[in-house]
Amino acid sequence: MSAAKKPTLAVVGATGAVGTVMLGILSERADVWGEIRLIASPRSAGRKLTVRGEQVEVIALSEEAFEGVDIAMFDVPDEVSAQWAPIAAAKGAVAVDNSGAFRMDPDVPLVVPEVNAHAARVRPRGIISNPNCTTLSMIVALGALHAEFGLSELIVSSYQAVSGSGKEGIDTLRDQVAKVAGTDLGSQPGDVRRAVGDLGPYPAPIAFNVVPFAGSLKEDGWSSEELKVRNESRKILGLPDLRVTATCVRVPVITTHSLTVHARFENEVTVAGAHEILSTAPGVVLCDNPAEGEFPTPADVVGTDPTWVGRVRRSLDDPKALELFVCGDNLRKGAALNTAQIAEVVAAELAAA
Ligand SMILES: NC(=O)c1ccc[n+]([C@@H]2O[C@H](COP(=O)([O-])OP(=O)(O)OC[C@H]3O[C@@H](n4cnc5c(N)ncnc54)[C@H](OP(=O)(O)O)[C@@H]3O)[C@@H](O)[C@H]2O)c1
């Protein structure tokens, strides 16, 4: 790419839940891009979507679609990324992948710009991975605390929004709420289950319920989401032996994941020290005044970019541990925003080359 030319960006999966938010983010952020090419499945070819205030026609995914592309974002299912990100890379693009296909590949960096932007420069396969939305919803705040206190253990529970399951999750919650809202169902076992009928992508009703399972079942009863939180936190923070225990729960929220976090450190911590770090860390907002009812909730955080942190307490039994409540928009920082930030880091690198 010549230094004068602005890079060409491809958004693969432009019609999906993450892709839709991506187009909004690309329209809001400083415009570093030349052409923005929108790609999806053949089902969507010919549709027109708005980006940067202009209507752009969606084209079907193909090898030719990557002709002249400098950076290709992938917001598509794992199997589509697994097949097509290497093709984009072979065509000369840097692929920034939002799926789970490459996250734990040792030759693919897993990047959160506020925590490990340097890792994006070393990409032997021409692919950079974006972490999963649950890890991303907490890791910016934890990275800042780790830099000061040295993290030694994490115990987290997630409260995950349905948009984390894509359009199908959103449609399922809306449909189930419409069936149950206004009824007096909920006082007898099974009555919500009978009323909602179709469970969509979930193993239990998601309307008026919480579901203590997210992802697929892995060894020894762990879910894929729980293992992602463990493995990806370790990789991003560069702490391969970090003790991490996660329990992932799906809740009837459309967008914004929340987590309770028990974070143990090498050194003693204070709430005042944690407040100081969290109130100045880039990408973090401290919202912690319970006496005034001030703490983050998904209803207030949705549509915003930062990681919001509240309910900061020092563990009553352990002077080295903090308890936190963290919220992050899973479609923005948890997916599209982080991908856009990575792409901007690469664009700046290409421009400087
Ligand atoms: N939702 C989240 O919170 C979140 C967070 C982080 C990461 N992610 C990851 O981001 C990716 C996208 O998730 P999503 O929630 O946006 O999913 P989604 O709403 O189901 O959208 C999927 C997108 O992929 C496209 N697609 C599907 N099959 C294709 C194919 N064979 N060829 C070309 N395009 C194809 C779809 O195009 P059509 O419209 O044409 O079918 C659509 O644009 C997934 O890997 C997901 O795990 C999601």
Side-chain angles (χ1 to χ4, degrees):
M1 198 186 79
S2 83
K5 184 179 165 283
K6 284 185 163 185
T8 296
L9 175 72
V11 182
V12 188
T15 52
V18 176
T20 302
V21 172
M22 180 64 80
L23 300 191
I25 284 174
L26 291 171
S27 306
E28 292 160 15
R29 291 179 71 81
D31 188 7
V32 300
W33 306 109
E35 181 193 351
I36 297 184
R37 204 171 292 172
L38 306 185
I39 302 174
S41 80
R43 295 180 288 276
S44 303
R47 267 184 71 186
K48 291 210 166 133
L49 302 175
T50 304
V51 61
R52 299 185 295 189
E54 285 169 21
Q55 293 263 294
V56 178
E57 189 168 314
V58 176
I59 59 172
L61 182 56
S62 70
E63 262 192 70
E64 301 73 59
F66 296 108
E67 228 41 85
V69 169
D70 299 295
I71 297 172
M73 299 169 168
F74 284 80
D75 301 318
V76 292
D78 290 3
E79 63 281 8
V80 182
S81 284
Q83 182 183 352
W84 287 92
I87 293 173
K91 298 284 271 181
V94 176
V96 185
D97 182 35
N98 224 323
S99 83
F102 302 98
R103 289 182 188 136
M104 297 314 297
D105 183 327
D107 288 331
V108 174
L110 185 63
V111 175
V112 182
E114 294 89 340
V115 182
N116 65 342
H118 59 278
R121 299 184 78 90
V122 185
R123 40 175 195 264
R125 298 189 63 182
I127 302 170
I128 300 169
S129 265
N130 196 62
N132 83 90
C133 47
T134 314
T135 306
L136 264 175
S137 297
M138 66 173 188
I139 204 74
V140 177
L142 292 176
L145 292 169
H146 168 59
E148 182 68 21
F149 299 128
L151 198 57
S152 65
E153 182 172 13
L154 280 176
I155 302 173
V156 306
S157 291
S158 73
Y159 304 75
Q160 295 179 220
V162 294
S163 59
S165 321
K167 283 186 295 194
E168 192 190 2
I170 300 170
D171 292 345
T172 299
L173 177 58
R174 287 194 198 286
D175 180 57
Q176 291 187 0
V177 167
K179 285 181 177 151
V180 183
T183 73
D184 59 1
L185 295 172
S187 56
Q188 294 299 318
D191 59 4
V192 170
R193 190 181 278 268
R194 279 187 292 279
V196 300
D198 182 9
L199 296 178
Y202 304 118
I206 188 64
F208 299 169
N209 204 10
V210 294
V211 182
F213 192 83
S216 56
L217 187 61
K218 300 294 180 191
E219 266 180 35
D220 298 326
W222 294 100
S223 78
S224 55
E225 288 282 300
E226 291 157 354
L227 297 181
K228 284 180 197 175
V229 171
R230 173 181 168 87
N231 295 332
E232 295 181 24
S233 297
R234 289 173 157 191
K235 185 169 175 178
I236 297 159
L237 295 169
L239 296 172
D241 300 320
L242 183 68
R243 293 157 66 97
V244 184
T245 304
T247 300
C248 289
V249 180
R250 191 76 64 182
V251 295
V253 166
I254 298 276
T255 298
T256 294
H257 289 350
S258 308
L259 298 106
T260 56
V261 179
H262 169 88
R264 189 163 201 274
F265 300 91
E266 303 291 350
N267 304 306
E268 285 202 10
V269 288
T270 61
V271 169
H275 272 183
E276 195 179 327
I277 291 160
L278 294 168
S279 59
T280 52
V284 178
V285 172
L286 178 68
C287 175
D288 191 20
N289 186 1
E292 299 294 328
E294 288 173 13
F295 30 71
T297 72
D300 296 320
V301 164
V302 63
T304 68
D305 287 345
T307 301
W308 293 68
V309 186
R311 303 295 327 280
V312 181
R313 290 148 292 152
R314 188 163 84 161
S315 171
L316 291 174
D317 300 316
D318 184 351
K320 294 183 174 180
L322 289 171
E323 316 299 325
L324 315 167
F325 188 74
V326 183
C327 285
D329 185 317
N330 53 296
L331 295 177
R332 292 183 74 89
K333 185 59 184 174
L337 174 64
N338 198 66
T339 306
Q341 289 174 307
I342 296 171
E344 289 166 7
V345 167
V346 177
E349 177 198 317
L350 297 181

